[in-house]
Amino acid sequence: MQALDQIIKDRIPAHVAIIMDGNGRWAKQHGLQRMFGHKQGVKTVHEITTAAAKLGIQYLTLYAFSTENWNRPKEEVDALMALLVETIKQETPTLMNNNVRLMTIGDLSRLPEVTRQKFEQCLEQTSHNTGLNLVLALSYSSRWEITHAMQQAATDVAQGKRDAASIDEQAVSDYMTTAGMPDPDLLIRTSGEYRISNFLLWQLAYAELYFTDKLWPDFCVEDFYAAIVDYQHRERRFGKTSEQLEVES
């Protein structure tokens, strides 16, 4: 039986986050330069986004480029920025046809001007779409996000816009770049690494974690469905006991 046939339609996770890891290693295994791995990874993004939209997932957040990635060799960073512009140009019509809204979290001010402009154009063009929300974490890291959020909160307190005592968990969430989004239900990481690499540290507090040895370019739709099935077989207690959940159900 295929994984899609095992998915329980009324238990689809609202928000899936993915750390897309392994492009470089995939290229090396195939005797190619790293950029070929990134280009192959873009094809996987297209396939997984389409699958997520068909399942009715509300939010799909992809870790596309971290703040630490700026430390990579300049030629690779430049090539990645060019690939991003090319991908946005090619995929915008598909996003429109599939009613997908493109969103972003991260420090876009660090992007090259042409990259930022193309990206902002796509954000605006898809802003009225009502299907899947495709969130790209771009020039993003969780420590940057939390630091930025605390700076904003401190400024609001200093300006008398809010009292420090009013800053509770919800207030902190509201200062995050993910404000208004549900926290991820499921985090998928490819390539066999078992860490979350400075990604959505606040938001992943109760997410289910799924790790696979597949490199991102080899991660297919069937693998994605298998992760959903695995998620649906887990008991999400949120600190409660199994007995409490049975009573509440």
Side-chain angles (χ1 to χ4, degrees):
M1 181 184 295
Q2 293 185 331
L4 177 60
D5 298 324
Q6 302 175 53
I7 292 178
I8 304 170
K9 303 303 181 183
D10 60 356
R11 293 188 58 196
I12 300 295
H15 188 171
V16 177
I18 304 180
I19 299 176
M20 308 178 293
D21 194 18
N23 289 343
R25 275 170 282 174
W26 183 91
K28 185 176 181 179
Q29 287 180 5
H30 290 77
L32 302 169
Q33 294 182 348
R34 290 178 59 87
M35 279 310 302
F36 285 96
H38 294 305
K39 290 180 179 179
Q40 189 66 31
V42 168
K43 295 180 181 179
T44 303
V45 169
H46 177 92
E47 294 172 357
I48 299 306
T49 300
T50 301
K54 289 181 178 179
L55 282 179
I57 291 170
Q58 298 174 29
Y59 289 84
L60 177 66
T61 299
L62 305 178
Y63 204 4
F65 191 87
S66 73
T67 55
E68 290 83 4
N69 288 154
W70 290 112
N71 297 320
R72 290 188 176 185
K74 184 178 184 302
E75 58 272 18
E76 181 174 351
V77 172
D78 290 345
L80 283 170
M81 292 299 107
L83 178 60
L84 179 59
V85 170
E86 177 185 345
T87 301
I88 291 172
K89 182 179 179 180
Q90 291 179 350
E91 292 295 324
T92 297
T94 302
L95 296 177
M96 294 301 297
N97 290 335
N98 292 329
N99 197 28
V100 175
R101 178 189 180 191
L102 183 65
M103 303 175 68
T104 185
I105 55 175
D107 184 8
L108 294 189
S109 67
R110 297 187 65 179
L111 298 181
E113 182 67 21
V114 64
T115 305
R116 186 171 64 254
Q117 287 181 355
K118 290 292 184 182
F119 198 75
E120 290 175 347
Q121 288 172 8
C122 186
L123 292 174
E124 174 60 28
Q125 190 171 347
T126 64
S127 62
H128 299 294
N129 290 345
T130 58
L132 171 71
N133 295 282
L134 175 60
V135 186
L136 294 188
L138 194 60
S139 188
Y140 171 91
S141 76
S142 194
R143 289 187 174 183
W144 164 82
E145 178 186 36
I146 293 171
T147 300
H148 185 256
M150 293 305 95
Q151 289 171 343
Q152 289 182 304
T155 297
D156 285 349
V157 170
Q159 294 178 349
K161 295 180 179 179
R162 73 178 311 145
D163 187 273
S166 71
I167 300 178
D168 54 13
E169 286 190 15
Q170 184 57 56
V172 174
S173 293
D174 290 342
Y175 279 109
M176 296 294 175
T177 59
T178 53
M181 304 180 196
D183 287 341
D185 300 297
L186 170 65
L187 169 72
I188 300 170
R189 178 166 188 151
T190 60
S191 86
E193 303 291 353
Y194 293 85
R195 55 179 178 270
I196 54 178
S197 298
N198 204 2
F199 183 49
L200 299 176
L201 300 179
W202 175 267
Q203 299 86 342
L204 290 175
Y206 283 104
E208 298 297 324
L209 308 183
Y210 181 89
F211 300 99
T212 174
D213 290 335
K214 287 283 190 76
L215 300 177
W216 178 246
D218 290 329
F219 188 78
C220 66
V221 171
E222 185 69 13
D223 297 317
F224 182 64
Y225 291 153
I228 302 296
V229 171
D230 182 88
Y231 160 84
Q232 292 184 335
H233 282 88
R234 301 189 191 185
E235 183 181 62
R236 306 192 72 202
R237 296 190 297 273
F238 299 97
K240 297 181 180 180
T241 66
S242 297
E243 291 74 17
Q244 284 177 297
L245 295 179
E246 290 177 3
V247 172
E248 292 175 359
S249 63

